[in-house]
Amino acid sequence: MTDRPVRVRIAPSPTGEPHVGTAYIALFNYLFAQKQGGEFILRIEDTDATRSTPEFETKVLDALKWCGLKWSEGPDIGGPYGPYRQSDRKDLYKPFVEQIVDAGHGFRCFCTPERLTEMREAQRAAGKPPKYDGLCLHISAEEVTARVASGEPHVVRMKIPTEGSCKFVDGVYGEVDIPWDAVDMQVLLKADGMPTYHMANVVDDHLMKITHVARGEEWLSSVPKHILIYQYLGLEPPVFMHLSLMRNADKSKLSKRKNPTSISYYTALGYLPEALMNFLGLFFIQIAEGEEMLTMDQLAEKFDPANLSKAGAIFDIQKLDWLNGRWLREGLSEDEFAARVLSWAMENDRIKQGLKLSQSRISKLGELPDLAGFLFKSDLGLDASSFAKVKSTPEELVEIFNTVQPDLEKILEWNVEAIEAELRAIADRMGKKLKVIVAPLFVAVSGSTRSLPLFDSMAILGRSVVRQRLKVAGQVAASMVGSGK
């Protein structure tokens, strides 16, 4: 393995807004490749056909480019081991799955979703971890052949050793020992012919000659499955490195339910990519006090993969703000600062669309800041008085925000039409008039009862900013319950 040219990859799934955790893992791989003189590859893992969308793929690519990361191979630029999108590689996986089945290491499973649900519920009720019970392992070869020939839906699962444990050395955690009885008989090929993440991951890493796999620690428990697949195929596994998860200050997992996690949120609020990468890069290096402000090249120079911490990486927003302030003051000339401000204001056509909506609503230009300024604010400063002109009770406000927030997450393509349709549907489901739903959202999004049209404003601000503003408004509304306000 050490004699092979270093090749690492980032393999995001385009199923939602690009997460800062993706940038965190991508940066590690990028710095590793820079340090080792290797190649950094981008691959799109879209085996989840129901949630993956071209819009989210574009957002992933744009976000990573904004971060300043450059890849030598990927779906946008091609390369010698393409295609670099799993949905375009569908025909590559089945022969590997058949090889595993033919060698007796895999089996066809005809269990229905209903049976699997009942099985898992019974296991949970008995206090056992849910995993496949091996029913279809005992079907005869003749019956399997007949059921497949009849067109009966089925998946392919991998066999798991019944004794012992999987021992391997992780680049961060060192020696790891996971009992085989803790490992499930993973589905390798779904009924629709698409591979699962685990199967596609191994095959793609092999075909793309990936030498080191660096990813979040949540994947550590999946390593035994991946090592088995490599063994069943007679292939050499890469070196695994599992990085500590980014966490909130209270050590809880970084989650959009608690804090903003989308890269688009930080771009919208005017954070510099240099500052965000600087902030994330500090998790991977050792520095003395006063050395915090570092460029990408300086991060790569100080990067030492042999000296990584297993302690959780704390996403301290105050430290990020401090670093961003330093970059604004010390990292940019006056001309560069002006250029960045203009670029930020024009991001996603924000200023153009804002002015378009404002033109018919003002009598002089001096009214623009009050009318459209919310499009550029980091914090609206909401409090109970903000909702004084909204007729709903605090309890009704809480109900509206608690309903709207998760329902808006269901929107696949974030645009005016989809937002309006979803809010109208929410009003119908709640048995309320649309204006009752819209009134508090107007305040939550713009901070005012007089502003630009709500649906357009939400589309311009973007999903991640709207999510955070609704969360803050919901907290304000909750604080009003029982207070008489």
Side-chain angles (χ1 to χ4, degrees):
M1 180 65 71
T2 54
D3 295 335
R4 293 166 56 189
V6 167
R7 288 175 59 83
V8 296
R9 47 72 170 174
I10 181 70
S13 298
T15 55
E17 291 279 327
H19 195 283
V20 289
T22 300
Y24 167 73
I25 300 296
L27 177 60
F28 178 91
N29 280 281
Y30 178 80
L31 295 176
F32 188 89
Q34 292 287 98
K35 192 74 171 184
Q36 305 290 338
E39 300 290 341
F40 172 60
I41 293 101
L42 173 66
R43 183 172 76 223
I44 295 294
E45 298 196 340
D46 58 349
T47 54
D48 187 346
T50 59
R51 295 172 59 219
S52 299
T53 70
E55 178 199 14
F56 284 139
E57 179 179 322
T58 298
K59 285 182 177 293
V60 167
L61 294 175
D62 289 346
L64 293 178
K65 288 175 183 175
W66 176 86
C67 288
L69 300 172
K70 298 176 183 177
W71 42 93
S72 55
E73 302 166 29
D76 54 335
I77 57 177
Y81 301 102
Y84 293 88
R85 187 181 296 107
Q86 283 182 338
S87 58
D88 295 335
R89 299 169 63 84
K90 182 177 178 179
D91 296 338
L92 295 175
Y93 306 111
K94 197 168 183 179
F96 289 93
V97 176
E98 295 298 335
Q99 181 182 336
I100 289 174
V101 173
D102 292 345
H105 300 309
F107 62 98
R108 303 186 191 281
C109 173
F110 300 89
C111 292
T112 64
E114 293 76 19
R115 183 195 175 265
L116 294 174
T117 298
E118 291 175 4
M119 175 199 75
R120 295 187 187 105
E121 288 176 350
Q123 289 171 335
R124 290 190 186 97
K128 298 178 180 178
K131 65 177 186 176
Y132 185 64
D133 59 5
L135 177 70
C136 291
L137 272 172
H138 311 295
I139 301 176
S140 68
E142 293 76 16
E143 183 181 346
V144 169
T145 300
R147 293 172 74 168
V148 170
S150 71
E152 184 174 350
H154 65 280
V155 300
V156 175
R157 293 181 182 272
M158 65 188 297
K159 293 181 179 179
I160 303 294
T162 55
E163 298 178 351
S165 62
C166 177
K167 297 180 174 65
F168 60 95
V169 177
D170 184 79
V172 178
Y173 283 82
E175 294 184 3
V176 180
D177 191 336
I178 299 177
W180 286 119
D181 63 10
V183 182
D184 199 3
M185 297 181 201
Q186 178 66 49
V187 172
L188 300 180
L189 196 70
K190 293 181 278 191
D192 63 1
M194 279 298 285
T196 58
Y197 161 82
H198 301 277
M199 187 69 206
N201 185 276
V202 168
V203 170
D204 287 342
D205 283 345
H206 164 65
L207 293 178
M208 293 182 182
K209 301 187 184 300
I210 301 301
T211 59
H212 298 73
V213 170
R215 55 194 177 188
E217 65 183 2
E218 71 269 28
W219 294 107
L220 190 64
S221 62
S222 296
V223 174
K225 298 175 187 178
H226 298 173
I227 286 179
L228 266 189
I229 296 173
Y230 279 106
Q231 289 178 351
Y232 289 164
L233 293 172
L235 305 174
E236 182 182 9
V239 174
F240 293 105
M241 296 179 285
H242 289 83
L243 309 176
S244 60
L245 293 176
M246 284 197 297
R247 299 188 179 277
N248 296 306
D250 62 2
K251 301 300 177 69
S252 61
K253 183 179 177 181
L254 195 65
S255 163
K256 66 185 179 185
R257 293 178 182 84
K258 285 194 173 186
N259 286 308
T261 57
S262 299
I263 296 173
S264 59
Y265 175 83
Y266 294 95
T267 66
L269 263 65
Y271 286 87
L272 301 184
E274 295 94 334
L276 182 59
M277 291 296 98
N278 187 167
F279 172 72
L280 297 177
L282 293 179
F283 294 132
F284 307 132
I285 64 173
Q286 305 294 323
I287 58 169
E289 187 174 348
E291 295 180 349
E292 293 89 354
M293 190 171 168
L294 298 167
T295 65
M296 192 80 85
D297 288 341
Q298 290 170 328
L299 287 171
E301 184 181 341
K302 292 179 178 293
F303 179 77
D304 181 7
N307 191 23
L308 296 173
S309 171
K310 292 190 285 290
I314 303 300
F315 195 91
D316 183 348
I317 192 70
Q318 291 182 325
K319 185 170 184 179
L320 175 57
D321 286 348
W322 172 77
L323 263 178
N324 199 66
R326 285 196 61 185
W327 273 97
L328 287 170
R329 293 186 299 271
E330 304 170 38
L332 303 176
S333 68
E334 290 182 3
D335 288 344
E336 288 170 337
F337 175 71
R340 292 294 184 99
V341 171
L342 291 174
S343 176
W344 168 70
M346 292 188 289
E347 183 182 277
N348 297 327
D349 268 351
R350 178 168 36 185
I351 195 167
K352 182 178 179 181
Q353 293 300 320
L355 292 176
K356 177 181 176 182
L357 294 171
S358 301
Q359 188 173 1
S360 61
R361 292 172 170 82
I362 61 172
S363 56
K364 49 186 175 292
L365 297 179
E367 294 173 6
L368 273 172
D370 286 340
L371 184 66
F374 72 94
L375 295 174
F376 304 93
K377 285 186 176 181
S378 298
D379 183 4
L380 298 180
L382 295 182
D383 58 24
S385 66
S386 303
F387 295 94
K389 295 182 180 180
V390 178
K391 295 180 180 179
S392 299
T393 66
E395 289 78 9
E396 289 173 324
L397 292 177
V398 170
E399 180 191 10
I400 290 170
F401 288 127
N402 286 348
T403 302
V404 169
Q405 288 182 70
D407 282 6
L408 287 182
E409 293 294 331
K410 301 173 186 175
I411 297 176
L412 287 180
E413 293 192 24
W414 188 262
N415 55 46
V416 176
E417 295 75 21
I419 293 167
E420 179 177 359
E422 187 60 35
L423 289 178
R424 289 186 182 279
I426 291 171
D428 288 342
R429 288 196 294 272
M430 295 183 73
K432 297 180 183 295
K433 292 182 178 179
L434 181 62
K435 65 180 181 180
V436 174
I437 302 293
V438 165
L441 298 186
F442 214 98
V443 176
V445 168
S446 71
S448 170
T449 54
R450 178 183 180 267
S451 188
L452 303 180
L454 177 66
F455 308 137
D456 299 83
S457 298
M458 293 172 72
I460 294 170
L461 286 168
R463 186 195 305 263
S464 58
V465 173
V466 169
R467 177 192 297 130
Q468 180 64 9
R469 291 191 178 180
L470 292 181
K471 188 184 80 169
V472 170
Q475 292 169 344
V476 172
S479 72
M480 294 163 59
V481 174
S483 66
K485 297 179 181 178

